[in-house]
Amino acid sequence: MTGAVFTVRQIFALGVATALLLAIPATGQEAAAAQVAAPPSASAGAAKMLARTPPMGWNSWNKFACNIDEEIIRRTADAMVTSGMRDAGYEYVVIDDCWHGTRDADGFITADPKRFPSGIKALADYVHSKGLKFGIYSDAGRKTCGGRPGSQGYEYQDALTYARWGVDYLKYDWCNTGTRNAEEAYTLMSDALRSTGRDIVFSLCEWGNNKPWLWSPKVGHLWRTTGDITDKWEGKHDYSWGVLNIVDMNEPLWPYAGPGHWNDPDMLEVGNGGLTDTQYRSHFSLWAIMAAPLIAGNDISTMNEATKAILLNKEIIAVNQDALGVQGRRIWKEGDREIWMKPLTGGRRALLLFNRGNAPAVIGFDWEQLNYPPKLRTRIRDLWLHKNLPARAQSYSATVAPHASHMLVLEP
Ligand code: GLA
């Protein structure tokens, strides 16, 4: 026998390293991710998969609703660059409802001439000139939720118009759709977008009414799982839900998310003023660990330092954007205390210790809950404190303030 001759010491060293690797059993999520991450089918196109990680960007609705104009969109695009948002990964600048004017004599949709006098093409060009991508909004019904012209009956014509304008992302709403079949309506627009030959991320906004997670992965890249978010911690408010309610609706859907197709628990409210900074940090942490699209919904041009520190926390963004593409889930809950886990590349785990209660709470976990061997010595990084905690094995616990979240990455 030649070649492979090892000393006892080498064999021991190799053995420990291999044993460590082999001893980390994959979680069900990691196994599922391995399948999802396998080469995409011909239709998806290996080199062309859009939204391989959850889309990131900004959308006008949560802050401005229908009070939008081209000046706000330009100012936002500028601020995306100067604030560092673009460089942190926020890519799409999306105009939500109410940009529309009327259809012209040939049926082509036009922009509201008062609010968007330069037209949408010029605005898209401006956004692109900033190194950002441009998104727009329409609706599968005859009218949008804001009463503007919808795309029903004009799907191919609108898709063509968007492609001519340079649209990179379409959010497609579900108001005024009557008895339309959701899967058919969204598939029609999906086909129309594809027929343009332009890469357009397709965001389904059907509020989870027809279980879009079951049929949307082949239709679009993200789908809303709930009604609208509102800038409140908890409860139902007219047609909208607080952050905690949305979290509880979106969490069980984790098996349906993966590269190119994501559950969308709606856009961020961080910085809009309805929550405390502690609650906003939890909101952002939960969206990150749920592999949710990170679409900021505040006024980027006037945001304060606390808001910036949340939206620009690159360590937390990295958890959201991890290439394994697995949606994290709640692995333990007792009363108001919760532990969430998201498997990451390299056998790492993101952990979220979340306290919903009004009093400080001790929250802890064992390595077994993470599918780690108990003796595995593990590095621990705190992503809000931006510091390494002492490496350890077996278990970890900490006291978490009311409504707060500790977000960690464990690395064997
Ligand atoms: C619906 C959507 C929101 C927003 C508004 C616009 O409510 O769910 O996200 O787009 O319409 O009118």
Side-chain angles (χ1 to χ4, degrees):
M1 210 172 79
T2 55
V5 180
F6 297 106
T7 65
V8 171
R9 185 179 294 217
Q10 281 170 326
I11 289 169
F12 181 73
L14 264 177
V16 171
T18 321
L20 270 182
L21 280 175
L22 295 177
I24 302 175
T27 63
Q29 283 174 294
E30 282 164 322
Q35 282 177 358
V36 174
S41 64
S43 66
K48 267 269 184 86
M49 185 193 270
L50 293 176
R52 180 171 276 285
T53 60
M56 292 177 66
W58 174 88
N59 172 299
S60 54
W61 184 255
N62 283 355
K63 171 70 185 174
F64 298 101
C66 277
N67 303 312
I68 43 165
D69 55 43
E70 60 183 44
E71 205 283 308
I72 291 174
I73 307 300
R74 281 170 195 259
R75 182 177 92 202
T76 301
D78 294 346
M80 296 282 280
V81 179
T82 54
S83 64
M85 293 277 288
R86 181 195 64 187
D87 292 344
Y90 295 87
E91 191 178 14
Y92 295 95
V93 172
V94 183
I95 313 184
D96 207 281
D97 204 351
C98 303
W99 59 267
H100 320 67
T102 52
R103 291 195 179 276
D104 71 13
D106 296 319
F108 286 99
I109 188 70
T110 63
D112 180 329
K114 286 210 189 71
R115 292 176 178 274
F116 295 88
S118 314
I120 303 295
K121 170 86 171 71
L123 196 51
D125 288 349
Y126 186 80
V127 169
H128 289 147
S129 77
K130 295 276 160 179
L132 293 158
K133 290 187 171 152
F134 180 75
I136 211 163
Y137 162 102
S138 189
D139 187 288
R142 298 242 176 248
K143 286 193 167 159
T144 70
C145 298
R148 308 312 200 264
S151 288
Q152 185 170 2
Y154 296 89
E155 288 85 355
Y156 276 78
Q157 198 171 2
D158 284 355
L160 183 65
T161 303
Y162 304 151
R164 284 179 176 158
W165 285 345
V167 166
D168 307 298
Y169 182 114
L170 175 67
K171 172 176 168 181
Y172 203 49
D173 216 339
W174 190 238
C175 276
N176 307 304
T177 45
T179 56
R180 278 199 102 173
N181 174 287
E183 184 174 350
E184 274 170 31
Y186 281 96
T187 302
L188 181 58
M189 187 44 116
S190 170
D191 290 346
L193 292 172
R194 278 185 200 157
S195 76
T196 68
R198 189 174 170 87
D199 285 343
I200 300 178
V201 168
F202 191 30
S203 157
L204 286 68
C205 180
E206 174 273 358
W207 319 311
N209 288 3
N210 297 279
K211 297 196 170 67
W213 42 91
L214 296 180
W215 46 266
S216 297
K218 58 186 191 311
V219 178
H221 304 95
L222 59 158
W223 54 84
R224 283 273 296 276
T225 55
T226 72
D228 289 4
I229 194 170
T230 188
D231 193 17
K232 305 254 166 62
W233 185 236
E234 159 158 54
K236 188 160 182 7
H237 310 270
D238 296 328
Y239 297 104
S240 318
W241 300 94
V243 166
L244 294 185
N245 305 70
I246 296 227
V247 164
D248 291 336
M249 290 185 267
N250 194 65
E251 191 277 338
L253 301 172
W254 66 265
Y256 299 101
H261 51 275
W262 307 101
N263 290 308
D264 174 9
D266 207 358
M267 303 168 294
L268 297 166
E269 292 283 9
V270 176
N272 280 336
L275 307 189
T276 64
D277 288 334
T278 298
Q279 291 171 330
Y280 278 138
R281 274 191 288 276
S282 289
H283 171 24
F284 194 67
S285 305
L286 286 156
W287 261 238
I289 206 156
M290 292 194 296
L294 296 181
I295 310 288
N298 58 316
D299 186 345
I300 303 294
S301 66
T302 60
M303 66 182 166
N304 63 24
E305 288 306 314
T307 299
K308 250 191 213 174
I310 297 172
L311 292 175
L312 290 170
N313 185 325
K314 291 185 185 166
E315 298 195 68
I316 293 197
I317 292 172
V319 167
N320 176 263
Q321 296 287 305
D322 182 76
L324 199 59
V326 172
Q327 177 171 332
R329 67 195 163 90
R330 189 159 38 208
I331 57 168
W332 179 86
K333 178 174 175 70
E334 209 174 274
D336 289 327
R337 300 177 301 153
E338 299 184 0
I339 298 170
W340 292 63
M341 197 268 285
K342 180 183 196 290
L344 305 175
T345 49
R348 296 168 305 136
R349 311 274 187 255
L351 268 296
L352 183 72
L353 279 52
F354 177 40
N355 177 11
R356 292 187 184 222
N358 296 322
V362 176
I363 305 181
F365 57 89
D366 292 326
W367 270 212
E368 270 128 339
Q369 289 173 277
L370 316 180
N371 274 9
Y372 276 172
K375 296 220 168 89
L376 185 66
R377 205 171 155 73
T378 303
R379 280 187 287 233
I380 305 181
R381 174 89 179 160
D382 186 310
L383 309 188
W384 283 116
L385 298 178
H386 298 293
K387 75 175 205 210
N388 295 324
L389 307 179
R392 51 187 300 139
Q394 301 277 2
S395 65
Y396 176 87
S397 77
T399 303
V400 182
H403 297 182
S405 292
H406 290 198
M407 194 142 172
L408 312 169
V409 167
L410 272 65
E411 184 174 1

